[in-house]
Amino acid sequence: MGAVEEGNSHFVDGDYLAALTKYDEAISENPTNSSYYAKRAACHMALDAYTDAIEDCTKAIKLDDKNALALWRKGVCYFHVGELHSAKDHLEKAYDLNSENRRFRTWLRKVEAELVEGEILVGEKRDRQSTVSSGSAAAEADLGPISLPLVSKGPKYSHYQSHTHVTLEVLQPGATPENTRIDTSTKEVNVAITLGEGREFNIDVDLWDAIVPEASKVSYGAKKIEIKMQKARPGRWDALEAKSAKAPTEGAVRKYPSSKGAKDWDQLDIKDDKKEGEEALNDFFRQIYSHGNEETRRAMNKSFLESGGTVLSTNWGEVGTKAVEGSAPKGMEMKKWGEE
């Protein structure tokens, strides 16, 4: 099995650090393959390292400007860092290359809705400022009717779960299969409901963990829609949405010194009462990687790759100048593949 295939396997299993090291290996062997950079960008995105993902997508697009997946991922990353116009530009290019892709269409609509809502808020603020500055003269001016797009907030929704499924309940009377469109992908759900007078209600949910989209089931009631989704990895989710975070503790933020200055360790949201064993450890490493600086990430990648997955260091000063030797568990012996 080649490095890319191994990386794909690790990615599907949710082991993004291991996948990242394999894609690094594939890129070092073939640095002109656009798809490899797009795959590595997906790992960065899964680890919330959006700046790194944008950099990899840029490299992928430079090698192949028709790489729709790289364009889409770059657009999604720009959305997450708040650069909506750049997000729209890249998502439009991805959609133009593949208009049949539901994820491309959903994300483009999502960004366009955010931009419209932002423009309405800016316009309202400008109108208030103009009224204050112009005084009574504004009341005498006939500005004529102003037509603005009708943007509606999404309906309320909730969820419940079992070990194998999570169900999203959307509370919206009048929703039917004829006026509702539901798109699901591995980690996203989009619900669009069109009612009378051109009103459209949208819900976009970035899921806490992966689902099996083709196994989703939808049922309509008089007042709600239920979307039952199969979890890709059975177990309990800490929340429905990926953006959900543990509430901060009261009092001052605890910061401790490190080689790179003060670090807020409360940002490493360790849910010790939810996950156990290897799952909790992988989640902890994932959070360290997503909150670490460039040297921390380089150290983790290098130590993991060179040690055969037995050492994971965050100290670039320690591992950057020498090869990292593997360390076998007590009672076992390190051997290279193929050794007797």
Side-chain angles (χ1 to χ4, degrees), residues 18 28 55 68 89 102 149 238 264 272:
S28 66
E55 184 178 336
D89 179 56
R102 292 190 304 171
D238 293 345
D264 180 5
D272 53 3

PDB file of all heavy atoms in Angstrom, residues 18 28 55 68 89 102 149 238 264 272:
ATOM      1  N   ALA A  18      -1.948  10.961  11.589  1.00  0.00           N
ATOM      2  CA  ALA A  18      -1.297   9.889  10.838  1.00  0.00           C
ATOM      3  C   ALA A  18      -1.500  10.091   9.341  1.00  0.00           C
ATOM      4  O   ALA A  18      -0.580   9.876   8.538  1.00  0.00           O
ATOM      5  CB  ALA A  18      -1.852   8.533  11.271  1.00  0.00           C
ATOM      6  N   SER A  28       6.500  14.595  -0.732  1.00  0.00           N
ATOM      7  CA  SER A  28       7.961  14.611  -0.871  1.00  0.00           C
ATOM      8  C   SER A  28       8.405  13.714  -2.034  1.00  0.00           C
ATOM      9  O   SER A  28       9.410  13.995  -2.688  1.00  0.00           O
ATOM     10  CB  SER A  28       8.623  14.151   0.435  1.00  0.00           C
ATOM     11  OG  SER A  28       8.343  12.788   0.697  1.00  0.00           O
ATOM     12  N   GLU A  55      -2.984  27.419   2.398  1.00  0.00           N
ATOM     13  CA  GLU A  55      -1.673  27.358   1.740  1.00  0.00           C
ATOM     14  C   GLU A  55      -1.567  26.119   0.848  1.00  0.00           C
ATOM     15  O   GLU A  55      -1.088  26.205  -0.295  1.00  0.00           O
ATOM     16  CB  GLU A  55      -0.569  27.337   2.795  1.00  0.00           C
ATOM     17  CG  GLU A  55       0.835  27.361   2.228  1.00  0.00           C
ATOM     18  CD  GLU A  55       1.900  27.384   3.314  1.00  0.00           C
ATOM     19  OE1 GLU A  55       1.603  27.822   4.439  1.00  0.00           O
ATOM     20  OE2 GLU A  55       3.034  26.951   3.027  1.00  0.00           O
ATOM     21  N   ALA A  68     -11.332  21.315  -8.737  1.00  0.00           N
ATOM     22  CA  ALA A  68     -12.524  21.864  -8.099  1.00  0.00           C
ATOM     23  C   ALA A  68     -12.539  21.620  -6.597  1.00  0.00           C
ATOM     24  O   ALA A  68     -13.010  22.463  -5.819  1.00  0.00           O
ATOM     25  CB  ALA A  68     -13.772  21.257  -8.738  1.00  0.00           C
ATOM     26  N   ASP A  89     -15.660  33.874  -4.022  1.00  0.00           N
ATOM     27  CA  ASP A  89     -14.929  33.806  -5.280  1.00  0.00           C
ATOM     28  C   ASP A  89     -14.482  32.380  -5.585  1.00  0.00           C
ATOM     29  O   ASP A  89     -14.668  31.874  -6.698  1.00  0.00           O
ATOM     30  CB  ASP A  89     -13.719  34.742  -5.211  1.00  0.00           C
ATOM     31  CG  ASP A  89     -12.890  34.691  -6.488  1.00  0.00           C
ATOM     32  OD1 ASP A  89     -13.452  34.921  -7.561  1.00  0.00           O
ATOM     33  OD2 ASP A  89     -11.676  34.410  -6.392  1.00  0.00           O
ATOM     34  N   ARG A 102     -23.421  18.668  -4.745  1.00  0.00           N
ATOM     35  CA  ARG A 102     -24.332  19.271  -3.775  1.00  0.00           C
ATOM     36  C   ARG A 102     -23.594  20.099  -2.738  1.00  0.00           C
ATOM     37  O   ARG A 102     -24.079  21.136  -2.290  1.00  0.00           O
ATOM     38  CB  ARG A 102     -25.149  18.188  -3.074  1.00  0.00           C
ATOM     39  CG  ARG A 102     -26.139  17.484  -3.968  1.00  0.00           C
ATOM     40  CD  ARG A 102     -27.065  16.599  -3.168  1.00  0.00           C
ATOM     41  NE  ARG A 102     -26.330  15.642  -2.358  1.00  0.00           N
ATOM     42  CZ  ARG A 102     -26.887  14.857  -1.440  1.00  0.00           C
ATOM     43  NH1 ARG A 102     -28.175  14.934  -1.204  1.00  0.00           N
ATOM     44  NH2 ARG A 102     -26.171  13.983  -0.766  1.00  0.00           N
ATOM     45  N   PRO A 149     -33.655  42.228  -0.262  1.00  0.00           N
ATOM     46  CA  PRO A 149     -33.947  40.791  -0.243  1.00  0.00           C
ATOM     47  C   PRO A 149     -34.532  40.391   1.111  1.00  0.00           C
ATOM     48  O   PRO A 149     -34.119  40.916   2.150  1.00  0.00           O
ATOM     49  CB  PRO A 149     -32.577  40.152  -0.467  1.00  0.00           C
ATOM     50  CG  PRO A 149     -31.726  41.235  -1.042  1.00  0.00           C
ATOM     51  CD  PRO A 149     -32.251  42.510  -0.490  1.00  0.00           C
ATOM     52  N   ASP A 238     -20.458  14.754  21.923  1.00  0.00           N
ATOM     53  CA  ASP A 238     -20.533  15.751  22.988  1.00  0.00           C
ATOM     54  C   ASP A 238     -21.544  16.845  22.657  1.00  0.00           C
ATOM     55  O   ASP A 238     -22.041  17.532  23.545  1.00  0.00           O
ATOM     56  CB  ASP A 238     -19.167  16.383  23.219  1.00  0.00           C
ATOM     57  CG  ASP A 238     -18.168  15.376  23.794  1.00  0.00           C
ATOM     58  OD1 ASP A 238     -18.612  14.315  24.269  1.00  0.00           O
ATOM     59  OD2 ASP A 238     -16.957  15.657  23.760  1.00  0.00           O
ATOM     60  N   ASP A 264      -2.503  29.659  26.574  1.00  0.00           N
ATOM     61  CA  ASP A 264      -3.760  29.459  27.289  1.00  0.00           C
ATOM     62  C   ASP A 264      -4.165  28.001  27.173  1.00  0.00           C
ATOM     63  O   ASP A 264      -4.773  27.587  26.206  1.00  0.00           O
ATOM     64  CB  ASP A 264      -4.839  30.372  26.697  1.00  0.00           C
ATOM     65  CG  ASP A 264      -6.178  30.210  27.397  1.00  0.00           C
ATOM     66  OD1 ASP A 264      -6.220  29.470  28.391  1.00  0.00           O
ATOM     67  OD2 ASP A 264      -7.148  30.830  26.945  1.00  0.00           O
ATOM     68  N   ASP A 272     -12.667  14.973  29.641  1.00  0.00           N
ATOM     69  CA  ASP A 272     -12.217  13.741  30.278  1.00  0.00           C
ATOM     70  C   ASP A 272     -13.353  12.867  30.768  1.00  0.00           C
ATOM     71  O   ASP A 272     -13.146  11.706  31.075  1.00  0.00           O
ATOM     72  CB  ASP A 272     -11.269  14.068  31.439  1.00  0.00           C
ATOM     73  CG  ASP A 272     -11.879  15.058  32.432  1.00  0.00           C
ATOM     74  OD1 ASP A 272     -13.054  15.445  32.234  1.00  0.00           O
ATOM     75  OD2 ASP A 272     -11.194  15.437  33.391  1.00  0.00           O
TER      76      ASP A 272
END
